[in-house]
Amino acid sequence: MDKINDSKRHAIIVAGGSGKRFGSELPKQFLHLDGKPVLMRTIEKLEQAGVTSIVVVLPAEHHEMWLSMCQECNFPVSHTIATGGNSRFESVKNGLAAIENLHDNDLVAVHDGVRPLASVELINRCFDTAMKRGSAIPVIAPSDSIRQLDDDGTSRQLLRSSLRAVQTPQTFSARWLKGAYDVEESPLFTDDASVVEKAGHQVTLVEGESTNIKITHPIDLVVATQLIKDGKAC
């Protein structure tokens, strides 16, 4: 894909967590990380990377809570709020529809609301690669051995060197992403890369970051806080 100099950077932040797995009544994207809600840190990082428009996809019941938080914190970063669907696929589709003045030669990053530590360097790497190749999927090599559990209860070893753990922001040509999401949802869609692949496009992998953790369990919040204090997440 040829590099396009006038393309704009957009981001869809999917923030539909309920907090159940985290064991918290407050959704994990609203929990404080070193004095600031996780979701605010995520938005700020994308703005620092030069994203021109940000859409935050939230469940309808969380809109008022989020707006109150932004007001209390005097949060300055402009963003649009879209309503999440019954699945990640529906939420991303709603987020796409909420982007104003989206052109085919623009770029769109889809990012987890609870990945607040993605560096500006990683975000730029994803946008730069997507500009050239049409897509960019950040990945890291797994550090643990991996086994596949079969339906009969048996398991088998998988070759760790050939596997990669997938992160976000997954970044795409707007034309590719719009076309890929103009279909009915499939159970085979596990992330945005799988949706784009189904549309016939080859995805490009880029080096992710071990510090780009997803806040899923309480220990993740502890680790993220320490990474910030140690200056290892910037």
Side-chain angles (χ1 to χ4, degrees):
M1 182 174 180
D2 293 333
K3 185 172 181 178
I4 302 170
N5 292 324
D6 62 348
S7 61
K8 293 181 179 179
R9 295 181 173 190
H10 307 272
I12 299 169
I13 300 177
V14 184
S18 65
K20 291 181 180 179
R21 280 192 295 174
F22 197 92
S24 168
E25 291 184 5
L26 188 67
K28 55 194 175 184
Q29 59 267 26
F30 300 146
L31 294 173
H32 276 229
L33 170 58
D34 196 36
K36 186 180 297 184
V38 168
L39 183 54
M40 287 187 186
R41 289 189 173 275
T42 303
I43 294 172
E44 287 176 338
K45 197 60 68 70
L46 286 162
E47 186 201 34
Q48 292 167 18
V51 174
T52 55
S53 70
I54 298 173
V55 174
V56 177
V57 186
L58 291 166
E61 61 270 24
H62 293 168
H63 286 201
E64 186 175 347
M65 182 191 306
W66 173 243
L67 290 172
S68 295
M69 283 187 171
C70 290
Q71 187 173 16
E72 290 170 6
C73 297
N74 293 316
F75 189 57
V77 182
S78 176
H79 59 280
T80 300
I81 299 176
T83 301
N86 294 321
S87 64
R88 183 185 177 88
F89 179 90
E90 288 185 4
S91 292
V92 173
K93 197 167 186 174
N94 291 350
L96 268 172
I99 299 177
E100 295 183 0
N101 301 316
L102 179 63
H103 300 289
D104 283 351
N105 62 345
D106 289 348
L107 301 169
V108 181
V110 184
H111 194 39
D112 295 322
V114 289
R115 284 191 191 269
L117 302 186
S119 71
V120 169
E121 290 76 16
L122 172 60
I123 297 168
N124 283 328
R125 181 157 64 246
C126 289
F127 274 111
D128 291 344
T129 301
M131 182 180 291
K132 298 173 183 176
R133 304 290 299 275
S135 66
I137 313 301
V139 299
I140 60 171
S143 56
D144 296 325
S145 294
I146 304 292
R147 297 191 69 84
Q148 178 173 306
L149 183 63
D150 296 324
D151 292 338
D152 61 1
T154 62
S155 67
R156 55 193 175 92
Q157 181 184 12
L158 297 179
L159 186 61
R160 184 173 63 186
S161 61
S162 67
L163 300 174
R164 294 294 181 270
V166 178
Q167 301 181 333
T168 67
Q170 297 187 11
T171 309
F172 307 92
S173 150
R175 178 174 61 83
W176 282 19
L177 197 62
K178 288 191 298 181
Y181 270 89
D182 191 22
V183 297
E184 292 187 4
E185 186 172 0
S186 164
L188 298 177
F189 295 156
T190 56
D191 63 358
D192 306 289
S194 61
V195 179
V196 169
E197 276 188 320
K198 181 66 175 177
H201 303 293
Q202 184 173 356
V203 299
T204 300
L205 304 185
V206 300
E207 189 66 29
E209 297 171 335
S210 60
T211 53
N212 183 23
I213 61 175
K214 186 176 182 180
I215 309 297
T216 305
H217 304 288
I219 187 62
D220 300 324
L221 199 62
V222 175
V223 171
T225 300
Q226 194 60 50
L227 286 170
I228 292 173
K229 290 184 181 299
D230 291 346
K232 295 179 180 179
C234 56

